[in-house]
Amino acid sequence: MTPGDPSYVHLGGEEPLIGTTIDRFFREAAVRFARHEAVVSVPQRRRLTYGELDEQVEHLARGLVGLGLTPGERVGIWATQNIEWVVLQLATTRVGAVLVNINPAYRISELRHALELARVQTLVLIPSFRTSRYADMVCELCPEARDLDPESFARRGGSTLAALRRVVVYDPQDAAATRRPAAGITTWAEVIAAGRDVTDEQMAGRAAALDPDDPINIQFTSGTTGFPKAVVLTHHNILNNGWFVGHVMRLTEADRVCVPVPFYHCFGMVVSNLACLTHGAAIVIPASHFEAGATLDAIQSERCTAVHGVPTMFIAELERPDFGDHDLSSLRTGIMAGAPCPPRLVRRVMEDMGCREILIGYGMTETSPVTHMTRPRDPFEKRTETVGTNLPHQEVKIVDPGTGRTVARGEPGEVCFRGYHVMRGYFDQPEATGQAIDDAGWMHSGDLGVLDDDGYLRITGRLKDMIIRGGENIYPAEIEAFYYEHPMVAQAAVFGVPDPRMGEEVGAWIKLRDGASADPDQLRAYARSRIAHYKVPRYIWIVDEFPMTVTGKIQKFRIRETVARWLDVSAPANTG
């Protein structure tokens, strides 16, 4: 490329796209890697080979058919990380049901929103997580589940959750012995039993009816700007994305990937699970939910060759007092993604964790999710200061947010994507889908970025997060990256604060490293000699924690709401 060329890249590929379904691809992998470990759950003290996983998937798939699930039916999963989650993930692809991933941290209003938005027909859950008693919450939303038997519950009339017909519970410690918490709730063992009379012909008919372009998964957007939307993804979307992620990681059956990221999120389900299952690698579950110590323990005990995580997870692991007591010498690679990845943190993971081939991943739920990754052989600067280049068979361009015109290389604008990975749409929300995907098929990300002459993408912030101070456009990600270089700073979030004269001023929440000491004046003085004066935060608050999604993304709209109360001003209009 030459300077001044348009900010557009289409990356071809030596490997063609996969034109089959997830189930057909997994069945072939299960034969090739039958004796290799497919999934290891440290908290459950269980491990399955590919052959054994395939058997369990078949039992559950038959049970779902015996229960009466029809192709296209939406099956919600409300659970933490465990083997049964992976089994259900694959079983739904075998029978053509649409898996709906539900955040284990949801409280009752969020659960209602998810179930109603996706019109979930079958809900699979664990008994509880932390202080949340899942069965009780479902019964509160749907009182008929307390008194009606499962068959009567399935036939009931209108209610607050009119689409819901079945609720299934399992205990990860002993799914076969799970007790029924309410009359209308079915147990995992009863589902398996329902499949005993399902014939081979019935299962073959289901398999023959599957198509790669069928919707197979609904994932909710992260909720960083308000209520999530339901993203519809197909076999073709997520199978190919998982395959190419694993291809870039150079995964083989010899690899063991430590997966502390939640399965309900596209990172866990696609970037981790499908990347492993398409390459014969083992999924290692270190804990039912993220624990830094358990992650380090699992890497050591299971001799993991890779580890995934969002930046806050890697920070928590590196900051543990016993970090140096762990043998992490088996690590080769991994992925850091899900939020901006400070270069200083990437360097620490390479040097202190010994994860020399750690890769940065970037994308969004609506793009299955990965669009860009760094590569093991990229120059060090590219690996630490960009999100790499797009994956094979994908297009990317940068456009002027105001005009929609493609900008020149090196100029900032909104990042847009087109290709196999772009979602089918938002479930039952054609207007929202039309706002996100234009007439030419381009997905508008809402992210701001710059493509350099080599095709590497640098993310500069969110369109909705951009601060306009006295006519100057200020990108919070740039200031956040600057503060991450400060030796006392562990985390930073920069945002706009309403101002009657300037329109907006720069505000920052700063979390200091353990044992560190600094005050707002010192942090401002540090910035004044190093960045332009208009980027120096007028407001700085030292905080102990940030409002976060479960996947480690900072919810800036909640920060702005909090700051608005503190300062008794209106939150900026661009809160999303």
Side-chain angles (χ1 to χ4, degrees), residues 484-531:
Y484 272 115
E485 296 296 326
H486 192 291
M488 301 295 182
V489 173
Q491 283 182 272
V494 174
F495 49 89
V497 177
D499 183 81
R501 188 170 69 90
M502 303 300 292
E504 286 183 285
E505 284 285 2
V506 180
W509 275 20
I510 302 288
K511 180 181 178 182
L512 301 177
R513 298 182 67 175
D514 290 344
S517 176
D519 61 37
D521 287 338
Q522 291 172 325
L523 293 170
R524 267 190 293 270
Y526 172 80
R528 283 193 187 103
S529 61
R530 293 170 173 85
I531 59 176

Side-chain angles (χ1 to χ4, degrees), residues 334-416:
I335 294 178
M336 187 188 301
C341 304
R344 178 165 150 264
L345 176 61
V346 179
R347 287 194 291 269
R348 290 188 67 194
V349 172
M350 289 179 180
E351 296 166 5
D352 298 347
M353 295 185 77
C355 198
R356 295 292 177 182
E357 293 184 16
I358 187 72
L359 306 174
I360 302 303
Y362 164 75
M364 57 194 303
T365 306
E366 291 90 336
T367 56
S368 302
V370 178
T371 66
H372 287 71
M373 287 180 69
T374 54
R375 308 303 201 264
R377 293 189 177 89
D378 283 341
F380 186 78
E381 181 182 350
K382 302 285 192 185
R383 292 181 62 195
T384 57
E385 297 184 7
T386 77
V387 296
T389 56
N390 43 322
L391 291 185
H393 306 291
Q394 296 185 4
E395 295 175 276
V396 61
K397 69 175 179 177
I398 309 294
V399 303
D400 184 308
T403 67
R405 304 283 295 180
T406 303
V407 302
R409 290 294 177 107
E411 293 184 12
E414 184 182 14
V415 187
C416 299

Side-chain angles (χ1 to χ4, degrees), residues 1-68:
M1 297 294 174
T2 58
D5 281 348
S7 287
Y8 166 87
V9 176
H10 169 246
L11 190 65
E14 296 178 3
E15 296 283 338
L17 288 171
I18 299 168
T20 188
T21 64
I22 294 170
D23 180 57
R24 290 177 197 141
F25 199 91
F26 170 69
R27 285 176 189 262
E28 294 173 2
V31 172
R32 289 201 312 276
F33 308 117
R35 296 185 179 181
H36 289 273
E37 285 189 340
V39 56
V40 176
S41 177
V42 175
Q44 294 175 284
R45 298 182 180 178
R46 292 170 58 197
R47 53 189 71 226
L48 297 176
T49 64
Y50 272 82
E52 292 166 340
L53 176 59
D54 185 44
E55 288 179 7
Q56 293 212 9
V57 170
E58 180 67 12
H59 289 318
L60 183 59
R62 286 174 179 261
L64 295 175
V65 172
L67 209 62

Side-chain angles (χ1 to χ4, degrees), residues 202-488:
Q202 285 177 278
M203 295 303 294
R206 282 296 186 99
L210 298 175
D211 187 273
D213 290 326
D214 288 339
I216 202 64
N217 184 216
I218 288 178
Q219 298 188 22
F220 296 99
T221 54
S222 62
T224 55
T225 59
F227 268 122
K229 293 188 285 290
V231 176
V232 180
L233 300 169
T234 67
H235 291 269
H236 195 64
N237 287 149
I238 61 178
L239 174 60
N240 279 288
N241 207 252
W243 163 260
F244 282 107
V245 166
H247 185 67
V248 170
M249 291 182 70
R250 302 192 289 192
L251 291 182
T252 71
E253 65 271 24
D255 282 298
R256 304 171 67 78
V257 182
C258 185
V259 184
V261 292
F263 288 169
Y264 87 87
H265 190 264
C266 50
F267 195 164
M269 178 180 167
V270 180
V271 179
S272 300
N273 290 0
L274 287 182
C276 287
L277 295 171
T278 53
H279 289 79
I283 301 164
V284 177
I285 305 170
S288 62
H289 58 283
F290 175 67
E291 296 177 15
T295 301
L296 295 173
D297 290 344
I299 294 171
Q300 175 176 285
S301 65
E302 294 294 331
R303 304 303 294 159
C304 293
T305 59
V307 59
H308 288 176
V310 299
T312 51
M313 292 179 177
F314 283 103
I315 290 170
E317 291 153 17
L318 288 161
E319 294 295 323
R320 278 190 64 85
D322 63 348
F323 171 79
D325 298 335
H326 291 85
D327 178 5
L328 308 180
S329 59
S330 59
L331 284 177
R332 171 182 67 84
T333 187
I335 294 178
M336 187 188 301
C341 304
R344 178 165 150 264
L345 176 61
V346 179
R347 287 194 291 269
R348 290 188 67 194
V349 172
M350 289 179 180
E351 296 166 5
D352 298 347
M353 295 185 77
C355 198
R356 295 292 177 182
E357 293 184 16
I358 187 72
L359 306 174
I360 302 303
Y362 164 75
M364 57 194 303
T365 306
E366 291 90 336
T367 56
S368 302
V370 178
T371 66
H372 287 71
M373 287 180 69
T374 54
R375 308 303 201 264
R377 293 189 177 89
D378 283 341
F380 186 78
E381 181 182 350
K382 302 285 192 185
R383 292 181 62 195
T384 57
E385 297 184 7
T386 77
V387 296
T389 56
N390 43 322
L391 291 185
H393 306 291
Q394 296 185 4
E395 295 175 276
V396 61
K397 69 175 179 177
I398 309 294
V399 303
D400 184 308
T403 67
R405 304 283 295 180
T406 303
V407 302
R409 290 294 177 107
E411 293 184 12
E414 184 182 14
V415 187
C416 299
F417 314 109
R418 187 167 64 181
Y420 75 83
H421 55 312
V422 173
M423 65 174 178
R424 175 68 61 87
Y426 296 118
F427 182 74
D428 208 22
Q429 292 182 287
E431 185 175 331
T433 301
Q435 292 171 353
I437 303 174
D438 65 27
D439 292 341
W442 287 97
M443 175 78 212
H444 289 250
S445 70
D447 283 340
L448 296 168
V450 176
L451 270 176
D452 69 18
D453 291 332
D454 298 316
Y456 288 81
L457 176 64
R458 182 168 57 88
I459 299 299
T460 57
R462 288 285 293 166
L463 188 58
K464 290 181 179 179
D465 284 346
M466 187 174 70
I467 302 166
I468 304 177
R469 179 188 181 276
E472 294 277 5
N473 291 346
I474 300 172
Y475 304 102
E478 178 187 358
I479 305 172
E480 289 163 356
F482 165 76
Y483 271 115
Y484 272 115
E485 296 296 326
H486 192 291
M488 301 295 182

